[in-house]
Amino acid sequence: MSFQKTARVRTRSQALQQRAERFFPGGVNSPVRAFRAVGGAPPFIESAEGAWLTDADGNRYIDYFGSWGPMILGHAFPPVVEAIERVARRSASFGASTGAEADLAERVVACFPAIEKMRFVSSGTEATMSAIRLARAATGRNVIVKFEGCYHGHADGLLVKAGSGVATFGIPGSAGVPDEVAHLTLALPYNDLSAVEAAFAVHPGAIAAIILEPVVGNAGCIAPAPGYLAGLRALTAREGALLIADEVMSGFRVALGGALELYGVDADLVTLGKIVGGGLPVGVFGGKRALMDVLAPLGPVYQAGTLSGNPLAMAAGIATVSYLQEHADEVYPQLEATSKAVTEGVAAEAAKAGVPLTLNRVGAMWTWFFTPHPVTNYEEAAKSDTAAFGRFHRSMLDQGVWLPPSQFEAAFLSTAHGQAETAATIAAASEAFKAVKAG
Ligand SMILES: *Cc1c(COP(=O)(O)O)cnc(C)c1O
């Protein structure tokens, strides 16, 4: 396959963007899609198959984005398409229970032993929001600890920026979040157990839960330091607080059982999303049986959803998760090998070109940080040269490689990515680093 060295024609995408701007703020229905962080007009997508996206002007791109994570088996994976088609003929939704919900739940429990009971919702945001309500009710405490750079959806209490010290309560990370709500969230540096120790000391008996991405994706990819997750587990157990593992991104991605399996830790509550819906809107929160039974209709914590457990979404989830379960022995080693080849190949091109780069990768989830320094938390990630990343992103896009449009988003690949895509990506990167150097 050949790669153009000059900007691709995107006149139809540009026209679609102008039209979209009449209806949607920034022309988008989710903000990062507007490509503000990297500049340039975002291509509109017409279709995708396997590892490849096709835009409205007929340009093709190798997709390292996978709809922000779900498409681990590649786009339009035939078993997923067939499952959705089959179920759609029987009506898209009933507002009543179907057997498919327990079919998917059984698979979720098999992959995540920390989940004994669960509830399906329609997004990761709903999952984390509900998990926190449940944690507060179960502990009778109000304060939540999160970590700088971790994203847990856009519920008010979770949109809290970096706090400057362990004794400092967070400030709102978004206009419209009342201080009264933000003040109940403590934002601490990731990978720093002593900061968590100090927070428990300063707020005795007040912290309901710690929520974290056990592998961070939303500050770019950051792995937990050895012993960090086990340390959090021990601290929360000692202090009577709950540990919420937000595996919306890492679940089924870094291992079949997510980061909890990969690092051998337990959690009180787990949230899932993205892959578990196979590209359709699904979120999950689940955990220990006694904890989950605090939910309505058994207990006093209200939580509901008109389309929760939607049949189409369950069908896509079952088709995806069952394939991953049945082929785990091939899928995960393959994802590891392809990801290693792509990421290290690109990093080698950076070294050849003299562009400082730090590669963080956990399985098929990674970030090339444009910094010579190690990245173990958000503060270090934020030192990256985002202008250089922008030049890299634009050049890669022009050569047909679709990367997430921010330095602070993880990239992904799928089982549909192979040697041809790997070679083409490394060749494109070699050109892109020249553009980075040229400034
Ligand atoms: C994507 C994501 C969410 C939010 O999920 P939505 O479905 O976008 O609401 C929450 N937590 C993590 C770790 C995520 O990556």
Side-chain angles (χ1 to χ4, degrees):
M1 76 212 61
S2 76
F3 282 86
Q4 295 164 235
K5 302 254 160 72
T6 52
R8 300 180 159 211
V9 174
R10 294 199 203 106
T11 46
R12 296 188 74 174
S13 280
Q14 278 156 14
L16 289 168
Q17 175 69 16
Q18 276 166 13
R19 179 166 182 246
E21 283 173 10
R22 295 208 329 253
F23 301 110
F24 313 118
V28 292
N29 285 301
S30 196
V32 190
R33 291 181 199 167
F35 275 38
R36 290 280 168 104
V38 289
F44 274 58
I45 300 301
E46 197 112 321
S47 67
E49 193 181 351
W52 292 81
L53 300 167
T54 303
D55 77 10
D57 293 280
N59 300 305
R60 299 182 76 224
Y61 307 87
I62 305 172
D63 182 16
Y64 287 105
F65 189 76
S67 185
W68 299 90
M71 312 313 278
I72 192 167
L73 300 173
H75 289 279
F77 186 62
V80 174
V81 175
E82 283 154 25
I84 294 170
E85 283 178 351
R86 182 164 21 85
V87 171
R89 284 191 208 98
R90 298 191 224 135
S91 181
S93 182
F94 313 112
S97 297
T98 68
E101 292 155 57
D103 290 343
L104 182 54
E106 205 162 67
R107 296 185 178 281
V108 168
V109 167
C111 299
F112 290 84
I115 301 180
E116 292 173 352
K117 272 194 176 180
M118 74 200 75
R119 188 155 274 172
F120 286 120
V121 291
S122 298
S123 68
T125 293
E126 276 183 88
T128 56
M129 182 185 80
S130 307
I132 280 173
R133 183 178 305 145
L134 182 57
R136 284 178 167 147
T139 57
R141 302 173 177 183
N142 285 338
V143 176
I144 299 297
V145 169
K146 75 177 284 290
F147 297 101
E148 296 164 5
C150 284
Y151 177 70
H152 305 290
H154 64 91
D156 280 356
L158 290 169
L159 279 182
V160 172
K161 244 201 279 212
S164 57
V166 285
T168 315
F169 277 109
I171 56 161
S174 166
V177 175
D179 284 352
E180 291 82 350
V181 173
H183 282 179
L184 294 174
T185 305
L186 274 172
L188 305 180
Y190 194 81
N191 270 332
D192 181 352
L193 280 177
S194 63
V196 178
E197 280 268 17
F200 277 117
V202 174
H203 307 283
I207 296 172
I210 293 182
I211 183 167
L212 87 161
E213 292 181 70
V215 173
V216 183
N218 287 292
C221 181
I222 300 173
Y228 180 61
L229 298 177
L232 290 178
R233 169 73 291 187
L235 276 175
T236 47
R238 188 188 82 194
E239 300 289 337
L242 302 182
L243 184 63
I244 306 174
D246 181 0
E247 296 235 48
V248 169
M249 188 185 285
S250 54
F252 305 103
R253 160 82 39 199
V254 299
L256 184 63
L260 294 180
E261 176 190 314
L262 187 64
Y263 298 104
V265 284
D266 190 26
D268 298 294
L269 289 169
V270 182
T271 54
L272 300 171
K274 298 190 171 118
I275 291 172
V276 76
L280 269 73
V282 179
V284 179
F285 67 103
K288 303 286 175 279
R289 195 169 288 113
L291 200 50
M292 292 305 290
D293 283 346
V294 178
L295 281 179
L298 297 183
V301 176
Y302 195 70
Q303 182 282 331
T306 300
L307 293 178
S308 293
N310 172 266
L312 294 181
M314 294 295 106
I318 292 165
T320 300
V321 173
S322 65
Y323 187 92
L324 291 174
Q325 284 179 300
E326 282 150 30
H327 300 86
D329 291 348
E330 303 133 55
V331 163
Y332 291 95
Q334 186 199 330
L335 289 171
E336 167 68 25
T338 316
S339 302
K340 185 173 160 63
V342 172
T343 56
E344 293 182 3
V346 167
E349 293 301 326
K352 266 189 238 167
V355 174
L357 206 70
T358 292
L359 167 62
N360 277 11
R361 180 176 72 84
V362 179
M365 177 171 162
W366 72 84
T367 298
W368 295 291
F369 287 102
F370 282 71
T371 169
H373 306 296
V375 176
T376 66
N377 59 29
Y378 178 70
E379 198 186 338
E380 291 167 357
K383 289 183 182 143
S384 300
D385 183 347
T386 53
F389 175 81
R391 292 196 292 279
F392 178 68
H393 185 276
R394 286 191 296 279
S395 174
M396 292 297 268
L397 196 69
D398 284 342
Q399 298 179 77
V401 180
W402 185 291
L403 299 172
S406 162
Q407 172 73 96
F408 307 112
E409 298 285 356
F412 308 107
L413 56 66
S414 75
T415 50
H417 290 69
Q419 280 173 6
E421 286 79 13
T422 300
T425 303
I426 294 168
S430 158
E431 289 299 314
F433 288 123
K434 288 180 200 160
V436 170
K437 274 300 233 193

